[in-house]
Amino acid sequence: MRKFYVGGNWKMNGSKKEIEALICNLSNADLDPATEVVVGVPSAYLDYTKQLLPKNIQLSAQNCYKVPKGAFTGEISPAMIKDVGGCWVILGHSERRHIFGESDQLVAEKVCHALSEGLCVIACVGEKIEERECGLTEEVVYRQTKAIADYVTDWCKVVIAYEPVWAIGTGKTATPQQAQEVHCQIRQWLRKNVNEKVAEQTRIIYGGSVTGKNAAELAKEKDIDGFLVGGASLKPEFIDIVNAKRKC
């Protein structure tokens, strides 16, 4: 059984006061113990958030660089993330790829270094709207997945997040059937290019305008093992998303 996984990506949002309110809400909620819960926090607030988080919620950074230290102004390393209590990092998010110009190769090298330093990784893949409309979804997702897979030695520490770019922050959500189709394709790729065990055990989660209203329907699909949640992770409905599998 693949344990259901829900990550909240706060992106560039939050203040100490807002974080206190978010964590208070989560701490007082009846969260499904069968779901693994992680929050992705701006680097400036990693240490502060860790001090407040209840034990049933893990801490993730939203990015890291591919080397341990050096003259890389503005970057943080996996070692720094671990030093303040983080155990996960989000890499390859579409905003990193398409706003900051990160290539498949750079994302792969970041994944490699993060894993070598003992972090677990949420590795993101997904196509843009024009790629989907041209029938290139499979090609794009396979290319991105291969770049990452070439650098992974321990798949137990990797969660793949399928995030169609056209559905992130737009209010548009892939239908459960659309999401399931791509999740299934990713699992088939792992089966063919890595091995059966990795294909069956690796969690593939969906991200793209997930809400408390649509989470339960998405969670019913065979190959959807959870969610990476953006805007809704800053709202009370995040609790409904964490508990979506209970409704299946």
PDB file of all heavy atoms in Angstrom, residues 116-138:
ATOM      1  N   SER A 116      21.457  12.812  -1.951  1.00  0.00           N
ATOM      2  CA  SER A 116      22.755  12.413  -1.402  1.00  0.00           C
ATOM      3  C   SER A 116      22.995  12.999  -0.014  1.00  0.00           C
ATOM      4  O   SER A 116      23.749  12.436   0.776  1.00  0.00           O
ATOM      5  CB  SER A 116      23.886  12.841  -2.343  1.00  0.00           C
ATOM      6  OG  SER A 116      24.096  14.245  -2.312  1.00  0.00           O
ATOM      7  N   GLU A 117      22.325  14.114   0.262  1.00  0.00           N
ATOM      8  CA  GLU A 117      22.465  14.765   1.563  1.00  0.00           C
ATOM      9  C   GLU A 117      21.415  14.286   2.567  1.00  0.00           C
ATOM     10  O   GLU A 117      21.362  14.764   3.693  1.00  0.00           O
ATOM     11  CB  GLU A 117      22.361  16.284   1.399  1.00  0.00           C
ATOM     12  CG  GLU A 117      23.544  16.914   0.688  1.00  0.00           C
ATOM     13  CD  GLU A 117      24.797  16.899   1.547  1.00  0.00           C
ATOM     14  OE1 GLU A 117      24.791  17.530   2.613  1.00  0.00           O
ATOM     15  OE2 GLU A 117      25.784  16.252   1.145  1.00  0.00           O
ATOM     16  N   GLY A 118      20.562  13.361   2.151  1.00  0.00           N
ATOM     17  CA  GLY A 118      19.603  12.766   3.076  1.00  0.00           C
ATOM     18  C   GLY A 118      18.227  13.386   3.105  1.00  0.00           C
ATOM     19  O   GLY A 118      17.394  13.009   3.935  1.00  0.00           O
ATOM     20  N   LEU A 119      17.955  14.327   2.204  1.00  0.00           N
ATOM     21  CA  LEU A 119      16.607  14.887   2.112  1.00  0.00           C
ATOM     22  C   LEU A 119      15.716  13.982   1.274  1.00  0.00           C
ATOM     23  O   LEU A 119      16.190  13.263   0.391  1.00  0.00           O
ATOM     24  CB  LEU A 119      16.626  16.276   1.470  1.00  0.00           C
ATOM     25  CG  LEU A 119      17.115  17.453   2.305  1.00  0.00           C
ATOM     26  CD1 LEU A 119      17.020  18.732   1.470  1.00  0.00           C
ATOM     27  CD2 LEU A 119      16.322  17.607   3.590  1.00  0.00           C
ATOM     28  N   CYS A 120      14.424  14.019   1.528  1.00  0.00           N
ATOM     29  CA  CYS A 120      13.440  13.421   0.643  1.00  0.00           C
ATOM     30  C   CYS A 120      12.980  14.491  -0.341  1.00  0.00           C
ATOM     31  O   CYS A 120      13.005  15.684  -0.020  1.00  0.00           O
ATOM     32  CB  CYS A 120      12.256  12.889   1.443  1.00  0.00           C
ATOM     33  SG  CYS A 120      12.676  11.535   2.571  1.00  0.00           S
ATOM     34  N   VAL A 121      12.561  14.071  -1.530  1.00  0.00           N
ATOM     35  CA  VAL A 121      12.292  15.018  -2.610  1.00  0.00           C
ATOM     36  C   VAL A 121      10.887  14.848  -3.174  1.00  0.00           C
ATOM     37  O   VAL A 121      10.455  13.731  -3.467  1.00  0.00           O
ATOM     38  CB  VAL A 121      13.313  14.839  -3.755  1.00  0.00           C
ATOM     39  CG1 VAL A 121      12.955  15.705  -4.957  1.00  0.00           C
ATOM     40  CG2 VAL A 121      14.724  15.172  -3.271  1.00  0.00           C
ATOM     41  N   ILE A 122      10.199  15.972  -3.323  1.00  0.00           N
ATOM     42  CA  ILE A 122       8.986  16.040  -4.130  1.00  0.00           C
ATOM     43  C   ILE A 122       9.435  16.544  -5.492  1.00  0.00           C
ATOM     44  O   ILE A 122       9.776  17.721  -5.648  1.00  0.00           O
ATOM     45  CB  ILE A 122       7.940  16.994  -3.527  1.00  0.00           C
ATOM     46  CG1 ILE A 122       7.582  16.587  -2.108  1.00  0.00           C
ATOM     47  CG2 ILE A 122       6.689  17.039  -4.406  1.00  0.00           C
ATOM     48  CD1 ILE A 122       6.747  17.629  -1.365  1.00  0.00           C
ATOM     49  N   ALA A 123       9.494  15.656  -6.470  1.00  0.00           N
ATOM     50  CA  ALA A 123       9.996  15.988  -7.805  1.00  0.00           C
ATOM     51  C   ALA A 123       8.820  16.259  -8.739  1.00  0.00           C
ATOM     52  O   ALA A 123       7.984  15.387  -8.968  1.00  0.00           O
ATOM     53  CB  ALA A 123      10.850  14.844  -8.342  1.00  0.00           C
ATOM     54  N   CYS A 124       8.759  17.475  -9.284  1.00  0.00           N
ATOM     55  CA  CYS A 124       7.589  17.906 -10.053  1.00  0.00           C
ATOM     56  C   CYS A 124       7.806  17.771 -11.558  1.00  0.00           C
ATOM     57  O   CYS A 124       8.880  18.081 -12.083  1.00  0.00           O
ATOM     58  CB  CYS A 124       7.265  19.361  -9.735  1.00  0.00           C
ATOM     59  SG  CYS A 124       6.965  19.697  -7.992  1.00  0.00           S
ATOM     60  N   VAL A 125       6.756  17.325 -12.236  1.00  0.00           N
ATOM     61  CA  VAL A 125       6.741  17.251 -13.700  1.00  0.00           C
ATOM     62  C   VAL A 125       5.377  17.749 -14.181  1.00  0.00           C
ATOM     63  O   VAL A 125       4.406  17.729 -13.437  1.00  0.00           O
ATOM     64  CB  VAL A 125       6.987  15.812 -14.201  1.00  0.00           C
ATOM     65  CG1 VAL A 125       8.343  15.292 -13.743  1.00  0.00           C
ATOM     66  CG2 VAL A 125       5.881  14.854 -13.743  1.00  0.00           C
ATOM     67  N   GLY A 126       5.322  18.173 -15.436  1.00  0.00           N
ATOM     68  CA  GLY A 126       4.033  18.610 -15.960  1.00  0.00           C
ATOM     69  C   GLY A 126       4.172  19.430 -17.227  1.00  0.00           C
ATOM     70  O   GLY A 126       5.208  20.059 -17.462  1.00  0.00           O
ATOM     71  N   GLU A 127       3.110  19.436 -18.030  1.00  0.00           N
ATOM     72  CA  GLU A 127       3.139  20.081 -19.334  1.00  0.00           C
ATOM     73  C   GLU A 127       2.412  21.418 -19.315  1.00  0.00           C
ATOM     74  O   GLU A 127       1.532  21.659 -18.492  1.00  0.00           O
ATOM     75  CB  GLU A 127       2.497  19.169 -20.384  1.00  0.00           C
ATOM     76  CG  GLU A 127       0.968  19.197 -20.451  1.00  0.00           C
ATOM     77  CD  GLU A 127       0.284  18.417 -19.336  1.00  0.00           C
ATOM     78  OE1 GLU A 127       0.969  17.949 -18.403  1.00  0.00           O
ATOM     79  OE2 GLU A 127      -0.961  18.290 -19.388  1.00  0.00           O
ATOM     80  N   LYS A 128       2.786  22.293 -20.253  1.00  0.00           N
ATOM     81  CA  LYS A 128       2.094  23.565 -20.453  1.00  0.00           C
ATOM     82  C   LYS A 128       0.860  23.339 -21.337  1.00  0.00           C
ATOM     83  O   LYS A 128       0.731  22.307 -21.980  1.00  0.00           O
ATOM     84  CB  LYS A 128       3.037  24.586 -21.104  1.00  0.00           C
ATOM     85  CG  LYS A 128       4.211  24.983 -20.223  1.00  0.00           C
ATOM     86  CD  LYS A 128       5.088  26.044 -20.846  1.00  0.00           C
ATOM     87  CE  LYS A 128       5.949  25.491 -21.955  1.00  0.00           C
ATOM     88  NZ  LYS A 128       6.940  26.479 -22.449  1.00  0.00           N
ATOM     89  N   ILE A 129      -0.028  24.329 -21.373  1.00  0.00           N
ATOM     90  CA  ILE A 129      -1.283  24.168 -22.107  1.00  0.00           C
ATOM     91  C   ILE A 129      -1.042  23.931 -23.590  1.00  0.00           C
ATOM     92  O   ILE A 129      -1.693  23.081 -24.215  1.00  0.00           O
ATOM     93  CB  ILE A 129      -2.232  25.375 -21.891  1.00  0.00           C
ATOM     94  CG1 ILE A 129      -3.594  25.123 -22.551  1.00  0.00           C
ATOM     95  CG2 ILE A 129      -1.601  26.668 -22.379  1.00  0.00           C
ATOM     96  CD1 ILE A 129      -4.349  23.939 -22.003  1.00  0.00           C
ATOM     97  N   GLU A 130      -0.070  24.644 -24.170  1.00  0.00           N
ATOM     98  CA  GLU A 130       0.170  24.467 -25.603  1.00  0.00           C
ATOM     99  C   GLU A 130       0.739  23.077 -25.899  1.00  0.00           C
ATOM    100  O   GLU A 130       0.492  22.506 -26.967  1.00  0.00           O
ATOM    101  CB  GLU A 130       1.104  25.561 -26.147  1.00  0.00           C
ATOM    102  CG  GLU A 130       2.453  25.657 -25.473  1.00  0.00           C
ATOM    103  CD  GLU A 130       2.488  26.651 -24.324  1.00  0.00           C
ATOM    104  OE1 GLU A 130       1.430  26.842 -23.676  1.00  0.00           O
ATOM    105  OE2 GLU A 130       3.565  27.216 -24.080  1.00  0.00           O
ATOM    106  N   GLU A 131       1.470  22.519 -24.953  1.00  0.00           N
ATOM    107  CA  GLU A 131       2.005  21.164 -25.122  1.00  0.00           C
ATOM    108  C   GLU A 131       0.873  20.133 -25.045  1.00  0.00           C
ATOM    109  O   GLU A 131       0.848  19.167 -25.814  1.00  0.00           O
ATOM    110  CB  GLU A 131       3.074  20.891 -24.071  1.00  0.00           C
ATOM    111  CG  GLU A 131       4.328  21.743 -24.282  1.00  0.00           C
ATOM    112  CD  GLU A 131       5.283  21.737 -23.102  1.00  0.00           C
ATOM    113  OE1 GLU A 131       4.824  21.534 -21.948  1.00  0.00           O
ATOM    114  OE2 GLU A 131       6.494  21.954 -23.315  1.00  0.00           O
ATOM    115  N   ARG A 132      -0.050  20.342 -24.129  1.00  0.00           N
ATOM    116  CA  ARG A 132      -1.200  19.429 -24.053  1.00  0.00           C
ATOM    117  C   ARG A 132      -2.040  19.510 -25.330  1.00  0.00           C
ATOM    118  O   ARG A 132      -2.453  18.487 -25.875  1.00  0.00           O
ATOM    119  CB  ARG A 132      -2.057  19.751 -22.825  1.00  0.00           C
ATOM    120  CG  ARG A 132      -3.387  18.998 -22.790  1.00  0.00           C
ATOM    121  CD  ARG A 132      -4.081  19.078 -21.454  1.00  0.00           C
ATOM    122  NE  ARG A 132      -3.524  18.111 -20.523  1.00  0.00           N
ATOM    123  CZ  ARG A 132      -3.962  16.860 -20.376  1.00  0.00           C
ATOM    124  NH1 ARG A 132      -4.944  16.416 -21.137  1.00  0.00           N
ATOM    125  NH2 ARG A 132      -3.409  16.051 -19.512  1.00  0.00           N
ATOM    126  N   GLU A 133      -2.296  20.725 -25.796  1.00  0.00           N
ATOM    127  CA  GLU A 133      -3.133  20.894 -26.975  1.00  0.00           C
ATOM    128  C   GLU A 133      -2.489  20.311 -28.230  1.00  0.00           C
ATOM    129  O   GLU A 133      -3.189  19.942 -29.182  1.00  0.00           O
ATOM    130  CB  GLU A 133      -3.454  22.382 -27.175  1.00  0.00           C
ATOM    131  CG  GLU A 133      -4.397  22.932 -26.109  1.00  0.00           C
ATOM    132  CD  GLU A 133      -4.638  24.425 -26.235  1.00  0.00           C
ATOM    133  OE1 GLU A 133      -3.867  25.096 -26.961  1.00  0.00           O
ATOM    134  OE2 GLU A 133      -5.593  24.926 -25.589  1.00  0.00           O
ATOM    135  N   CYS A 134      -1.159  20.216 -28.229  1.00  0.00           N
ATOM    136  CA  CYS A 134      -0.440  19.622 -29.360  1.00  0.00           C
ATOM    137  C   CYS A 134      -0.226  18.123 -29.186  1.00  0.00           C
ATOM    138  O   CYS A 134       0.480  17.493 -29.993  1.00  0.00           O
ATOM    139  CB  CYS A 134       0.904  20.316 -29.562  1.00  0.00           C
ATOM    140  SG  CYS A 134       0.798  22.010 -30.162  1.00  0.00           S
ATOM    141  N   GLY A 135      -0.796  17.556 -28.121  1.00  0.00           N
ATOM    142  CA  GLY A 135      -0.660  16.128 -27.891  1.00  0.00           C
ATOM    143  C   GLY A 135       0.706  15.708 -27.381  1.00  0.00           C
ATOM    144  O   GLY A 135       1.119  14.552 -27.584  1.00  0.00           O
ATOM    145  N   LEU A 136       1.404  16.626 -26.695  1.00  0.00           N
ATOM    146  CA  LEU A 136       2.777  16.357 -26.265  1.00  0.00           C
ATOM    147  C   LEU A 136       2.891  16.040 -24.777  1.00  0.00           C
ATOM    148  O   LEU A 136       4.006  15.952 -24.257  1.00  0.00           O
ATOM    149  CB  LEU A 136       3.665  17.567 -26.598  1.00  0.00           C
ATOM    150  CG  LEU A 136       3.802  17.930 -28.075  1.00  0.00           C
ATOM    151  CD1 LEU A 136       4.608  19.211 -28.236  1.00  0.00           C
ATOM    152  CD2 LEU A 136       4.442  16.792 -28.852  1.00  0.00           C
ATOM    153  N   THR A 137       1.761  15.874 -24.099  1.00  0.00           N
ATOM    154  CA  THR A 137       1.805  15.645 -22.653  1.00  0.00           C
ATOM    155  C   THR A 137       2.715  14.478 -22.291  1.00  0.00           C
ATOM    156  O   THR A 137       3.609  14.601 -21.443  1.00  0.00           O
ATOM    157  CB  THR A 137       0.383  15.386 -22.103  1.00  0.00           C
ATOM    158  OG1 THR A 137      -0.405  16.558 -22.273  1.00  0.00           O
ATOM    159  CG2 THR A 137       0.444  15.037 -20.626  1.00  0.00           C
ATOM    160  N   GLU A 138       2.504  13.349 -22.944  1.00  0.00           N
ATOM    161  CA  GLU A 138       3.287  12.160 -22.622  1.00  0.00           C
ATOM    162  C   GLU A 138       4.777  12.391 -22.881  1.00  0.00           C
ATOM    163  O   GLU A 138       5.623  12.053 -22.050  1.00  0.00           O
ATOM    164  CB  GLU A 138       2.782  10.982 -23.461  1.00  0.00           C
ATOM    165  CG  GLU A 138       3.402   9.647 -23.115  1.00  0.00           C
ATOM    166  CD  GLU A 138       2.744   8.510 -23.885  1.00  0.00           C
ATOM    167  OE1 GLU A 138       1.504   8.374 -23.816  1.00  0.00           O
ATOM    168  OE2 GLU A 138       3.485   7.769 -24.568  1.00  0.00           O
TER     169      GLU A 138
END
